[in-house]
Amino acid sequence: MSCEGPDCEKALERLYLFIDHELDNASCDEIQAHIDGCQECLTEFDLEVLVKTLVSRSCSEVAPQPLRDRVLLSIRSVQIEIQQDR
Ligand SMILES: [Zn+2]
């Protein structure tokens, strides 16, 4: 399954707003519905939520960029390993 459709692009674009709760409920439902049916976007969504959770736990307000990069990098390398196993 690839994630190159316009729906995915749109969903991922709004994903970040969704996570930050900056979208109205209608838009949230729309994205939630897409994520429910799209494994690629679900994975991306999980990554973002995970990073946000880790970052918010480790410091108070703004995450230091190096930490965020490190977390993202390690998650992505795990993800690549998983993909290569298929
Ligand atoms: Zn998608």
Side-chain angles (χ1 to χ4, degrees), residues 3 7-8 11 34 38 40-41:
C3 194
D7 281 358
C8 290
H34 180 84
C38 182
E40 301 288 336
C41 286

PDB file of all heavy atoms in Angstrom, residues 3 7-8 11 34 38 40-41, ligand 1:
ATOM      1  N   CYS A   3       1.399   5.595  -0.096  1.00  0.00           N
ATOM      2  CA  CYS A   3       0.766   6.748   0.536  1.00  0.00           C
ATOM      3  C   CYS A   3       1.003   7.976  -0.329  1.00  0.00           C
ATOM      4  O   CYS A   3       1.535   8.966   0.099  1.00  0.00           O
ATOM      5  CB  CYS A   3       1.323   6.950   1.940  1.00  0.00           C
ATOM      6  SG  CYS A   3       0.326   8.077   2.924  1.00  0.00           S
ATOM      7  N   ASP A   7      -5.453  12.189  -1.015  1.00  0.00           N
ATOM      8  CA  ASP A   7      -6.084  12.070   0.295  1.00  0.00           C
ATOM      9  C   ASP A   7      -5.040  11.976   1.395  1.00  0.00           C
ATOM     10  O   ASP A   7      -5.168  12.577   2.452  1.00  0.00           O
ATOM     11  CB  ASP A   7      -6.984  10.838   0.342  1.00  0.00           C
ATOM     12  CG  ASP A   7      -8.321  11.088  -0.331  1.00  0.00           C
ATOM     13  OD1 ASP A   7      -8.523  12.239  -0.785  1.00  0.00           O
ATOM     14  OD2 ASP A   7      -9.122  10.159  -0.417  1.00  0.00           O
ATOM     15  N   CYS A   8      -3.988  11.204   1.119  1.00  0.00           N
ATOM     16  CA  CYS A   8      -2.935  11.020   2.105  1.00  0.00           C
ATOM     17  C   CYS A   8      -2.184  12.329   2.335  1.00  0.00           C
ATOM     18  O   CYS A   8      -1.896  12.702   3.466  1.00  0.00           O
ATOM     19  CB  CYS A   8      -1.954   9.940   1.655  1.00  0.00           C
ATOM     20  SG  CYS A   8      -2.669   8.286   1.686  1.00  0.00           S
ATOM     21  N   ALA A  11      -4.338  14.557   4.289  1.00  0.00           N
ATOM     22  CA  ALA A  11      -4.503  14.065   5.657  1.00  0.00           C
ATOM     23  C   ALA A  11      -3.258  14.335   6.490  1.00  0.00           C
ATOM     24  O   ALA A  11      -3.344  14.796   7.630  1.00  0.00           O
ATOM     25  CB  ALA A  11      -4.810  12.569   5.632  1.00  0.00           C
ATOM     26  N   HIS A  34      -9.848   8.893   7.702  1.00  0.00           N
ATOM     27  CA  HIS A  34      -8.806   8.521   6.746  1.00  0.00           C
ATOM     28  C   HIS A  34      -7.754   7.644   7.414  1.00  0.00           C
ATOM     29  O   HIS A  34      -7.339   6.625   6.864  1.00  0.00           O
ATOM     30  CB  HIS A  34      -8.137   9.768   6.162  1.00  0.00           C
ATOM     31  CG  HIS A  34      -7.052   9.434   5.183  1.00  0.00           C
ATOM     32  ND1 HIS A  34      -7.309   9.157   3.857  1.00  0.00           N
ATOM     33  CD2 HIS A  34      -5.715   9.277   5.345  1.00  0.00           C
ATOM     34  CE1 HIS A  34      -6.168   8.863   3.253  1.00  0.00           C
ATOM     35  NE2 HIS A  34      -5.184   8.922   4.140  1.00  0.00           N
ATOM     36  N   CYS A  38      -6.262   3.893   6.443  1.00  0.00           N
ATOM     37  CA  CYS A  38      -5.002   4.028   5.704  1.00  0.00           C
ATOM     38  C   CYS A  38      -3.830   3.718   6.624  1.00  0.00           C
ATOM     39  O   CYS A  38      -3.492   4.498   7.508  1.00  0.00           O
ATOM     40  CB  CYS A  38      -4.871   5.430   5.119  1.00  0.00           C
ATOM     41  SG  CYS A  38      -3.378   5.644   4.150  1.00  0.00           S
ATOM     42  N   GLU A  40      -0.631   3.615   6.119  1.00  0.00           N
ATOM     43  CA  GLU A  40       0.525   4.507   6.006  1.00  0.00           C
ATOM     44  C   GLU A  40       0.346   5.743   6.873  1.00  0.00           C
ATOM     45  O   GLU A  40       1.239   6.158   7.595  1.00  0.00           O
ATOM     46  CB  GLU A  40       0.731   4.931   4.545  1.00  0.00           C
ATOM     47  CG  GLU A  40       0.959   3.781   3.590  1.00  0.00           C
ATOM     48  CD  GLU A  40       2.338   3.150   3.779  1.00  0.00           C
ATOM     49  OE1 GLU A  40       3.225   3.843   4.270  1.00  0.00           O
ATOM     50  OE2 GLU A  40       2.486   1.971   3.431  1.00  0.00           O
ATOM     51  N   CYS A  41      -0.830   6.317   6.782  1.00  0.00           N
ATOM     52  CA  CYS A  41      -1.103   7.529   7.548  1.00  0.00           C
ATOM     53  C   CYS A  41      -1.214   7.206   9.034  1.00  0.00           C
ATOM     54  O   CYS A  41      -0.821   8.004   9.882  1.00  0.00           O
ATOM     55  CB  CYS A  41      -2.376   8.205   7.049  1.00  0.00           C
ATOM     56  SG  CYS A  41      -2.137   9.034   5.468  1.00  0.00           S
TER      57      CYS A  41
HETATM   58 ZN    ZN B   1      -3.238   7.928   3.836  1.00  0.00          ZN
END
